[in-house]
Each structure stands twice: as structure tokens, then as C-alpha cells.
Amino acid sequence: MTTVEEAERLILAEAGDYGAEIITFEQALGRVLAENIKADRDLPPFNRVTMDGIAISYQSFKAGITTFRIKATQAAGDAPVDITESNECIEIMTGAVLPLSADTVIRYEDVEINEGTAILLIPDIKKEQNIHLQGADKKQGEIILTPGRLITPAIISLLASVGETEVRVKRLPRVVVISSGDELVEVSATPSPYQIRRSNNYTVQAVLKQHGLDAAMLHIPDDPEIIRQTIQQCLHNYDVLLLSGGISMGKFDYIPQALNDLGVNKVFHKVMQRPGKPLWFGKQDNGAAVFAFPGNPVATFMCLHRYFMPWLQATLSLTEKPPVYAILNRDFEFTPDLQYFLQVKLNFNEQGGLLAVPVEGNGSGDFANLADTDAFMELPLEKSEFKKGEVYRIWPFV
């Protein structure tokens, strides 16, 4: 068996690159940017008023003028109106262009307006107050976004603001999720006393959808020839195969042999971990990557987050995020010499520390337990006793 760390290294070494494509910026949410984005003009593009009030020349205030005649009212989007006399002001709204003849904005709360006159109510003001100066955020031609950024709603806003109607993003791999086993029936079916409904495939598909991947789904029975034929077709039509079940030591676990017969190079089979010990990973030469997860729901769920998601992020050249750690909130023991992925509920203490509260279930088949947890805490195999207050890495899934 390989260690968790070695399994991760081997998987990331097989990260691919599926190129890039151009899509509209409205479709880009959740995708990974694959080009530099530059400001097409200064941001903001003009001296922008940030408070409703009046615009004056600061020099007039320094000269002792505290009463100003309102020359005009200017809304956001209006052409600027210049003041020509030292005792003039412009009544101006948030978002409007500051006239070149003015350099200071006094908010409504600090003036009294009566019959076309604005009287200053405060003893002091600062030059250029309440103004977002032109180019203060970015200069024209400056790079504002670099490749590897996950496109979030905030980045959609930035793309729109610089007129990027189309954007180059990393192309997503074609993924198929394959469940296996004669004991599994469709969700709409009524299981016999010795059957269960399929859920792993829908769980995997839902996680991938959260990350912008629309995966196909197939189910194969415990039939060696059907397994071989189905996997062969999928190796031809998809970039990634995510299999659930059929990879352990049972008499009907035909998948490892089928993968071998079809020329998929096994990188490793079995990892020193619980859950998910039978994990299988391999790749065709210049072809599809294959992640074969154990059939137990918690094992599939953990392996998907611990191994496939980092592979996907590396494949998409997504800017790597720092690991997340949490404080174990009570003592826990685990005896076998395996890396243990403990299901935990996350909370914060009064000091802002992230706490991981163990939520023990009934093994890797207890998928109902996942609904009450937020993450897996990775506990090292070198220890068997884990004390309250110790800090370990977590893999959030919510």
C-alpha cells in the first residue's frame, strides 16, 4: 500500500492540460481564467463623487468662504458643470463626475441648503474629501487579473467593467461517473430486501456540478464483459473516469482486471487510509485518467475531495489555496496503522479559532452521517491518540 502523501504526489504528477476556450463573460462563473485581463481605461475613469452633497473649490474655503450659491445640480451620468466664481458650488450626487473646476465634496449632512444657497455647518474640511480619484484603483493598460483565478461574481463584475464580453478560460475535462454493482437500483425503484438505491453517482455528480463540471453518468452490472466494453467506450469518449465500487478483493470486483486488460496503467492500488483503503488510480498513455473509488459512500465522498479535487485544480492551473487547519475539540483514538479521515462539524470559539468537533458514525457505509458534518480531518498514521487542542488539516466539503 502507498501512503496518503505518496498517493497525492502520484496523482498530481498526472495532472493534465485540456487547453482553453473562449466563452461569454456571463457564462464564465466558476471557470478558471486563462489570460491576462487589462484595464481598458483608468479605474475609476474619472474623479468620482462618493457622497451626495456639494462640490466646491477647496481654495474658496481656504479663503474664508462658507456660503455658496448653487449653480446647478448634477446627477451621476450627467456631463460635468463647471463653477466659475469662487462662491459657487454644484449640488452633486454619488457616482457623478467631479467638474475640473472643483476638487472637494461636502456631504449633505454638513451643509444647510436654503433657497439656492448652501451654508457650511462644520469648521473644517479636507481637500479632495469624498472623491474617488481617477486611476486610484488601476491605470489604463494595467493587468488587473492573471491566469489561474477562479471566476467569482466579483470577477464577473470586473470583467464587465472593462468591457470584456468574451473571456478565455481553461477547458474542462470530459468526465463520466460510473457506478457498479448488481445490488444497486435506480432512485425511482423500490428496492428488494437485498438491494439499495444508487446514491454515490449522484453525490459525485453534485459535487462536480458545484465546481462547474457537468458529468455524464452510467451504471454497470457485475458482468466482466459488460464492464470491459463500457469502460473501453468511456476511455475513448471521456478524459476522466470516476468509478465507484468493484475494486476491492471480492469475487465480483472485476474493475481492476478490466482496466488492466484495456491498457490503463495502474499507478497505485490501495492507500494506507480509512476510509477509502482500496482506492485505485491509473492512466492511459496520453489518454484518460481513471479514479476508481471504493463503493462505500463515505469512502467515495472522502476520496473525491482528497484526491480528485486537487487533481482537477492542478489540471485547470487554478491558483493553489493554502491548506485549512482546525483545532480538534475533544480527544479521539484510532488504533489501526492507517491515516484516518475523521468526520467533523466545524465551529468557531470565542477567539475566532476554527474548531473541529468529531461526529462518529457507523463506518464508511454510514452516508447519513455526512449530513451532520462539514469536513474530514486528516489524522496522521504515526499516532493513535489525538488530544483536544491539537491542530490538524481539514478537507471541507461544504
Side-chain angles (χ1 to χ4, degrees):
M1 287 190 291
T2 185
T3 64
V4 168
E5 292 75 14
E6 180 67 3
E8 178 185 47
R9 186 191 68 79
L10 292 169
I11 287 173
L12 293 182
E14 297 295 340
D17 187 345
Y18 300 99
E21 61 181 335
I22 296 174
I23 60 176
T24 65
F25 82 100
E26 296 103 323
Q27 299 172 309
L29 184 66
R31 299 295 294 272
V32 177
L33 188 64
E35 64 174 330
N36 287 322
I37 300 295
K38 296 181 180 180
D40 66 331
R41 56 179 183 163
D42 289 344
L43 294 178
F46 48 78
N47 289 334
R48 176 181 170 274
V49 174
T50 62
M51 288 283 184
D52 298 329
I54 62 170
I56 67 167
S57 168
Y58 182 76
Q59 192 58 41
S60 298
F61 170 77
K62 291 294 288 183
I65 299 174
T66 57
T67 300
F68 299 88
R69 180 174 61 84
I70 299 173
K71 181 178 182 179
T73 300
Q74 184 186 321
D78 288 349
V81 180
D82 278 316
I83 52 180
T84 55
E85 302 292 336
S86 59
N87 66 337
E88 288 181 338
C89 71
I90 302 297
E91 195 170 356
I92 202 160
M93 305 301 134
T94 301
V97 180
L98 185 72
L100 293 177
S101 53
D103 57 13
T104 302
V105 174
I106 306 169
R107 58 182 191 162
Y108 275 137
E109 293 91 330
D110 298 326
V111 296
E112 179 183 320
I113 295 179
N114 188 26
E115 296 182 353
T117 298
I119 302 171
L120 190 60
L121 298 178
I122 55 176
D124 195 23
I125 61 174
K126 294 180 179 180
K127 187 176 181 179
E128 297 181 342
Q129 69 178 30
N130 301 320
I131 300 168
H132 193 180
L133 295 175
Q134 179 175 342
D137 298 340
K138 299 291 181 182
K139 298 294 185 183
Q140 182 178 8
E142 186 176 348
I143 294 174
I144 59 174
L145 293 170
T146 55
R149 293 289 299 273
L150 182 68
I151 298 177
T152 62
I155 288 181
I156 292 287
S157 173
L158 197 51
L159 292 170
S161 71
V162 298
E164 292 285 351
T165 59
E166 294 184 326
V167 61
R168 183 179 295 274
V169 298
K170 296 293 289 185
R171 190 182 298 275
L172 296 170
R174 298 166 300 168
V175 180
V176 61
V177 180
I178 306 172
S179 56
S180 66
D182 291 340
E183 77 280 13
L184 302 176
V185 299
E186 252 304 345
V187 175
S188 57
T190 300
S192 71
Y194 50 84
Q195 292 177 317
I196 58 175
R197 293 186 178 91
R198 294 200 282 272
S199 61
N200 278 3
N201 53 346
Y202 291 102
T203 303
V204 172
Q205 186 187 50
V207 172
L208 299 185
K209 192 169 290 186
Q210 285 182 319
H211 296 273
L213 271 174
D214 190 12
M217 286 204 303
L218 294 172
H219 180 76
I220 48 179
D222 291 326
D223 182 299
E225 185 56 28
I226 294 176
I227 289 172
R228 192 191 67 81
Q229 290 178 3
T230 303
I231 292 178
Q232 184 177 40
Q233 293 172 357
C234 290
L235 289 170
H236 179 72
N237 294 322
Y238 296 95
D239 301 308
V240 184
L241 280 62
L242 301 180
L243 297 109
S244 177
I247 59 166
S248 295
M249 301 294 291
K251 285 189 175 182
F252 301 101
D253 290 331
Y254 301 120
I255 287 176
Q257 185 61 50
L259 292 168
N260 181 68
D261 293 345
L262 293 168
V264 180
N265 301 312
K266 181 182 73 174
V267 176
F268 64 80
H269 186 193
K270 296 184 181 179
V271 181
M272 297 172 66
Q273 63 184 18
R274 184 179 290 179
K277 179 180 174 182
L279 175 65
W280 191 103
F281 174 73
K283 190 177 182 185
Q284 277 188 322
D285 291 335
N286 301 316
V290 179
F291 293 79
F293 304 134
N296 284 320
V298 177
T300 292
F301 199 64
M302 187 281 287
C303 290
L304 180 71
H305 286 87
R306 180 62 181 87
Y307 299 107
F308 175 74
M309 293 312 303
W311 176 91
L312 178 64
Q313 291 163 3
T315 292
L316 298 177
S317 301
L318 184 63
T319 302
E320 188 175 352
K321 294 182 178 180
V324 180
Y325 294 86
I327 305 164
L328 187 61
N329 200 38
R330 65 175 170 81
D331 293 350
F332 182 79
E333 291 187 9
F334 179 71
T335 303
D337 190 17
L338 298 171
Q339 201 122 324
Y340 188 65
F341 289 84
L342 174 67
Q343 294 178 63
V344 294
K345 185 75 176 175
L346 300 178
N347 292 304
F348 289 94
N349 61 22
E350 293 80 359
Q351 293 75 41
L354 185 59
L355 299 178
V357 183
V359 182
E360 296 178 62
N362 296 307
S364 56
D366 186 4
F367 56 90
N369 203 46
L370 288 173
D372 298 320
T373 58
D374 304 309
F376 292 102
M377 173 170 267
E378 186 171 337
L379 302 177
L381 57 82
E382 296 84 5
K383 298 177 62 175
S384 58
E385 295 183 356
F386 306 92
K387 300 298 184 181
K388 178 180 180 179
E390 294 178 344
V391 175
Y392 299 102
R393 186 171 184 178
I394 60 168
W395 296 87
F397 50 76
V398 294

